Amino acid sequence: PCKTCTACLMAAASTHPDIHIIEHENKKKVTSVEQIRSVITDAYIKPFENGKKVYIFRYALESMFWV
């Protein structure tokens, strides 16, 4: 990130409309089915700022070991 353009500043402030961070709900150790369905539904909506959307699944690697 260049930390000077509008997109980078918005991403750093977690206010970019096309960057979505998915975290576990209620301290659960896995991403819920409802969260995945929400991501799928949102993916069909066109991006606001750029040509792409980004979905970051925080703790995804940790969740893989709970299966």
Side-chain angles (χ1 to χ4, degrees):
C2 70
K3 299 180 183 177
T4 57
C5 70
T6 305
C8 287
L9 293 173
M10 289 172 53
S14 298
T15 58
H16 197 291
D18 298 327
I19 299 176
H20 304 278
I21 299 175
I22 293 83
E23 299 192 44
H24 298 159
E25 294 178 340
N26 303 327
K27 298 185 179 183
K28 293 182 181 178
K29 301 213 184 275
V30 295
T31 305
S32 70
V33 173
E34 291 81 19
Q35 287 177 293
I36 300 299
R37 287 182 180 148
S38 176
V39 168
I40 292 169
T41 301
D42 185 71
Y44 283 102
I45 300 171
K46 290 185 178 184
F48 293 105
E49 294 284 325
N50 299 318
K52 307 281 183 188
K53 287 186 179 184
V54 176
Y55 297 92
I56 300 170
F57 288 83
R58 192 171 295 201
Y59 311 117
L61 186 59
E62 295 172 13
S63 297
M64 289 174 41
F65 296 107
W66 287 98
V67 176

